[in-house]
Amino acid sequence: MRSRGETGTGISRRGLLGAVGLAAAGAAGCGAPAGDGGGSPQAGHVTAPPPEGVLGANFNGDPSTMTFAELQAVSATWLRGFFPMPDAEQGPPEGRPAIGALLTAAGRGYGTVLSLKFPFDRRPLPVPGSTAMAAELQRLDKVLPVVLNRVDILAIGNEPFIETRAADRGDRLNDFYETIARHVTAYRAEHFGDKCKTRLYMGALNHLDRPAWRTPAAERWMRFVRETPSIDGVDIHPHLPAPAAGQRYLDYVLPRMRPEQRFLATEFSLVLLWKKHLSDPVAPAFADRYSVPRGTPVWRVLKNAIDHPFPQRQWDDLLAMSPWFAAHRTFLWEQMDRFRRTGRLAVATYGVGQDAAMVRDFGPDKTPWLLNSLFCPYTVQPSGGLPGRNRAWTDAFRALQHT
């Protein structure tokens, strides 16, 4: 999805410190062998399991929303982020925050997933053979030498059907991404042969629970995935209005792939369900306990938490006393079970931390991404050296590392 601050400039003191720390770690690790941790040794190493039914952490495009201490606190062993391809013009890719963080994580033993983001929602998609397409391929040639054989999984695309103008979401979209995929495949074969550890996926499809998004272009996308031997599978982003809607994604993509192919779910959540309840009155029990006027809408209470972060107990109570949230506290368990029962999940990743754009101009129409995050630095007071957290998610995330 696009509205979580992928280009936001607001950053908290914590986010700034996280960015500085990760940048320093990335600089130490860049160019180092895959086994060289780099960065500060106290963060420690992990041993990532193979990509078979794994639940990892996701920072999207901004690694300043997390620290390695937070990853350790929830026992994470896999990490995902995306890289906007125009940033390849801003200097060496290994020095950009997202790639630097993933390379540092790889050096510390984490499994890593990098999604390449091509933002064309405000300009036409390049046509193969054009000057604009040549420029995109030149950017790729800056990034591929840095990440291939170092990250475990490279997803070609982030959310192509959202990050493309509506007028281009037909054959033009397919032509563009198929050209990119063939270029990546050819580069990997030429420079690494069969020894490259990086697996390739096409990503990611959105809103497959809605018939209107199952277009001829989506069918062609899946056909290309199925018919291209170098592609290991497809990425999906099930942001859902109800838990059962996640099955519709699986029902769509699994029959359209080769039996040995797998899927990623590098983003998933119930954020569309949370949004339905922003204008509900806050639970009376919560209102009475914390001297909030009865009838105050949920969005206003969340805005209060943004303006004056709650103690952990108050945040816990807000969620536990809200029936629309409490009824779905087991969502991570249920969705991971749904994914794993297919026998074809490679890696799913879940959002680590709130970012500045999640809380900017918060109101009744804002998509409440802030309710998805494991850690909640913008709405919950820190404790024990870590930001406040959403215990429904952190407890489940940690337990799911061992099931």
Side-chain angles (χ1 to χ4, degrees):
M1 308 292 282
R2 291 178 293 174
S3 52
R4 281 154 302 173
E6 297 170 359
T7 59
T9 55
I11 197 165
S12 66
R13 181 175 181 274
R14 172 203 178 245
L16 178 60
L17 292 174
V20 171
L22 283 169
C30 288
D36 185 349
S40 52
Q42 65 268 26
H45 282 64
V46 303
T47 301
E52 300 171 0
V54 168
L55 174 62
N58 169 40
F59 63 75
N60 283 316
D62 184 5
S64 73
T65 61
M66 50 146 259
T67 65
F68 284 107
E70 291 166 22
L71 298 181
Q72 287 184 301
V74 293
S75 303
T77 58
W78 276 75
L79 186 63
R80 178 261 180 177
F82 67 69
F83 178 70
M85 291 301 294
D87 286 6
E89 305 295 337
Q90 305 303 313
E94 60 267 35
R96 307 307 300 164
I99 291 178
L102 287 173
L103 295 181
T104 299
R108 295 180 178 185
Y110 287 84
T112 51
V113 182
L114 173 63
S115 300
L116 300 181
K117 174 183 173 75
F118 297 88
F120 283 95
D121 53 325
R122 297 182 181 179
R123 54 197 175 108
L125 271 173
V127 175
S130 66
T131 301
M133 191 78 216
E136 291 300 319
L137 299 181
Q138 287 173 359
R139 288 173 177 167
L140 265 181
D141 288 343
K142 294 178 181 180
V143 173
L144 295 178
V146 176
V147 302
L148 286 178
N149 209 36
R150 298 181 75 181
V151 301
D152 293 282
I153 293 173
L154 185 68
I156 300 166
N158 180 53
E159 293 182 331
F161 286 86
I162 289 178
E163 295 162 355
T164 300
R165 300 182 314 160
D168 292 344
R169 293 175 191 166
D171 287 339
R172 185 163 181 158
L173 180 149
N174 298 112
D175 291 342
F176 174 82
Y177 279 95
E178 289 171 15
T179 299
I180 294 292
R182 292 189 183 101
H183 189 87
V184 173
T185 296
Y187 189 101
R188 184 181 66 165
E190 178 182 354
H191 293 274
F192 298 96
D194 295 332
K195 298 180 180 180
C196 187
K197 79 170 187 176
T198 305
R199 312 314 303 165
L200 304 179
Y201 284 73
M202 298 294 292
L205 299 181
N206 298 85
H207 301 312
L208 291 177
D209 54 319
R210 307 177 191 177
W213 285 70
R214 300 183 177 194
T215 63
E219 288 287 342
R220 177 174 162 183
W221 184 278
M222 292 305 305
R223 186 165 62 251
F224 179 79
V225 168
R226 182 177 67 250
E227 295 176 355
T228 306
S230 56
I231 300 298
D232 279 26
V234 70
D235 191 6
I236 56 175
H237 284 181
H239 292 295
L240 307 173
Q247 185 62 44
R248 297 173 197 156
Y249 281 75
L250 302 177
D251 291 344
Y252 184 82
V253 301
L254 293 181
R256 289 168 171 80
M257 293 194 293
R258 301 190 305 271
E260 74 276 12
Q261 287 180 309
R262 299 190 177 196
F263 70 95
L264 308 173
T266 54
E267 297 183 28
F268 65 101
S269 76
L270 285 176
V271 71
L272 301 182
L273 187 153
W274 312 145
K275 189 172 185 178
K276 294 178 182 178
H277 294 281
L278 286 183
S279 294
D280 289 3
V282 73
F286 178 88
D288 294 346
R289 179 173 296 181
Y290 293 100
S291 301
V292 175
R294 286 198 176 199
T296 300
V298 168
W299 73 265
R300 174 58 67 183
V301 177
L302 293 173
K303 182 67 165 58
N304 292 343
I306 293 166
D307 294 339
H308 304 285
F310 289 175
Q312 184 68 61
R313 173 64 183 274
Q314 187 174 355
W315 185 252
D316 293 346
D317 285 347
L318 172 63
L319 300 180
M321 294 177 178
S322 299
W324 49 268
F325 187 92
H328 300 291
R329 290 178 64 87
T330 57
F331 170 71
L332 273 187
W333 284 101
E334 294 165 359
Q335 190 62 51
M336 283 302 298
D337 180 64
R338 191 186 305 275
F339 289 155
R340 286 170 170 171
R341 277 190 286 110
T342 68
R344 297 174 69 180
L345 172 67
V347 179
T349 59
Y350 197 77
V352 181
Q354 296 169 339
D355 64 33
M358 293 180 185
V359 301
R360 188 182 302 121
D361 301 322
F362 197 87
D365 298 319
K366 181 89 168 182
T367 302
W369 299 106
L370 57 82
L371 292 174
N372 286 345
S373 304
L374 299 174
F375 291 95
C376 307
Y378 286 90
T379 57
V380 186
Q381 297 171 13
S383 62
L386 292 172
R389 62 198 67 191
N390 186 324
R391 293 185 189 275
W393 308 145
T394 54
D395 293 352
F397 187 100
R398 189 183 305 107
L400 283 163
Q401 304 305 307
H402 309 291
T403 59

